[in-house]
Amino acid sequence: MTRNAPRPEVLRYTAFSSTPDGGNPAGVVLDATALDDSDMLAIAADLGYSESAFLTAPPEGLAGQEGRAYSIRYFSPKAEVPFCGHATIATAIALAERTGPGELVFATRAGAVPVEVAEEGGTVRATLTSVEPHLEKIADTDLTEALAALGWPAADLDPAFPPHVAFAGARHLVLAAATRTRLADLAYDFARLEALMHRLDLTTVQLVWRETATVFHVRNPFPVGGVVEDPATGAAAAAFGAYARELGLVPEDAVLTLHQGEDLGRPGELTVTLRSGDPRVRVSGTGTRIS
């Protein structure tokens, strides 16, 4: 940003909640044309949210209606991330308030992500469709280190959910707690987990506990972003949906409900939709402006 250029408007929205005190806050800059990387990182750091989103003109060849397709980048207070679900939802809702509901397309570092925004009974809801996901196993030594950093004994894991790294735009280590009490007790070694996550190129660790066949509670440590915990994590929700389907833990056609943020006092709800014959994962939620 040049010295004399005006600072762009920075909007504040929360995603996966219809009230400002729930869900995950995100900064949204609808026109970041004048910003360079250091400007975007500085804005994200100043806000202190887990991520902020920055829009510019779409690249050539990106599908989508004119005026409804964009390039988007995401910055945490410490670094850029390839994809962020909650900031995508927040941005889509911010755009819909200005241009109306409908289809949007975002060019992310991970690939093109379409978003459908609809109004339901006066509530705006956005649904993103992930890039094609994939899974990989985690080495025993890396799993041991992750559990040591979390302070979780291996016996506290749910044996029905084998640990994997799941990707649906960003990489997340999926670990399942055997009890809700285990999930609620999160006091981890920030530096130790951060070092492991950098080595494995992880964006967050997706900690889950299964309440019913289709209802889960989740938490997401995010030390690589400079944030102890992410209150609602759309990218991890997409990765988890792919993980659960590929391992046969849920049907190929399924709608999952993920509750996140309760342990932080910022409750949010993420809906994960899986469709037979389509490897992509859909993540939807409400959102609202904070200020």
Side-chain angles (χ1 to χ4, degrees):
M1 187 166 59
T2 62
R3 181 174 298 177
N4 296 322
R7 180 184 173 94
E9 183 179 17
V10 181
L11 306 173
R12 294 165 173 81
Y13 277 75
T14 193
F16 302 116
S17 173
S18 59
T19 61
D21 57 352
N24 196 355
V28 177
V29 177
L30 296 180
D31 183 3
T33 305
L35 303 179
D36 60 21
D37 290 13
S38 62
D39 297 324
M40 289 185 260
L41 182 60
I43 289 171
D46 182 56
L47 283 172
Y49 297 152
S50 54
E51 278 104 358
S52 295
F54 300 85
L55 295 185
T56 54
E60 288 189 17
L62 181 68
Q65 301 175 19
E66 184 175 354
R68 300 186 71 84
Y70 301 87
S71 294
I72 188 168
R73 296 175 69 184
Y74 312 95
F75 283 80
S76 76
K78 291 181 70 171
E80 185 174 8
V81 298
F83 175 64
C84 172
H86 88 272
T88 301
I89 296 293
T91 301
I93 290 173
L95 288 168
E97 289 181 352
R98 288 153 179 80
T99 62
E103 296 181 359
L104 298 161
V105 181
F106 296 112
T108 78
R109 279 177 49 196
V113 175
V115 182
E116 177 72 26
V117 186
E119 186 174 347
E120 304 172 357
T123 299
V124 179
R125 188 176 186 88
T127 301
L128 67 84
T129 300
S130 77
V131 300
E132 189 162 337
H134 59 79
L135 301 187
E136 63 184 65
K137 294 182 178 180
I138 182 170
D140 290 343
T141 54
D142 292 332
L143 174 59
T144 298
E145 177 62 12
L147 294 176
L150 289 168
W152 282 25
D156 285 355
L157 295 178
D158 186 339
F161 290 74
H164 278 71
V165 173
F167 171 91
R171 289 165 54 84
H172 305 269
L173 172 59
V174 180
L175 299 174
T179 65
R180 182 67 177 89
T181 300
R182 172 71 277 172
L183 185 69
D185 184 11
L186 182 62
Y188 67 92
D189 186 324
F190 190 97
R192 189 171 182 177
L193 188 60
E194 180 183 21
L196 175 67
M197 291 173 68
H198 277 301
R199 183 163 60 79
L200 299 181
D201 191 28
L202 301 176
T203 298
T204 72
V205 178
Q206 173 82 328
L207 306 174
V208 307
W209 173 71
R210 187 173 204 163
E211 180 180 351
T212 71
T214 59
V215 177
F216 298 83
H217 294 256
V218 300
R219 301 185 72 174
N220 284 81
F222 187 32
V224 294
V227 177
V228 173
E229 184 176 351
D230 206 16
T233 318
F240 175 71
Y243 158 93
R245 176 174 57 190
E246 185 164 330
L247 295 182
L249 301 169
V250 298
E252 289 191 7
D253 277 302
V255 178
L256 313 178
T257 300
L258 275 56
H259 295 287
Q260 189 173 353
E262 294 175 347
D263 297 293
L264 292 173
R266 293 195 63 90
E269 183 175 296
L270 302 86
T271 301
V272 175
T273 302
L274 306 171
R275 296 180 181 175
S276 180
D278 187 349
R280 301 173 301 170
V281 180
R282 288 157 179 82
V283 178
S284 63
T286 58
T288 190
R289 188 165 183 173
I290 297 172
S291 60

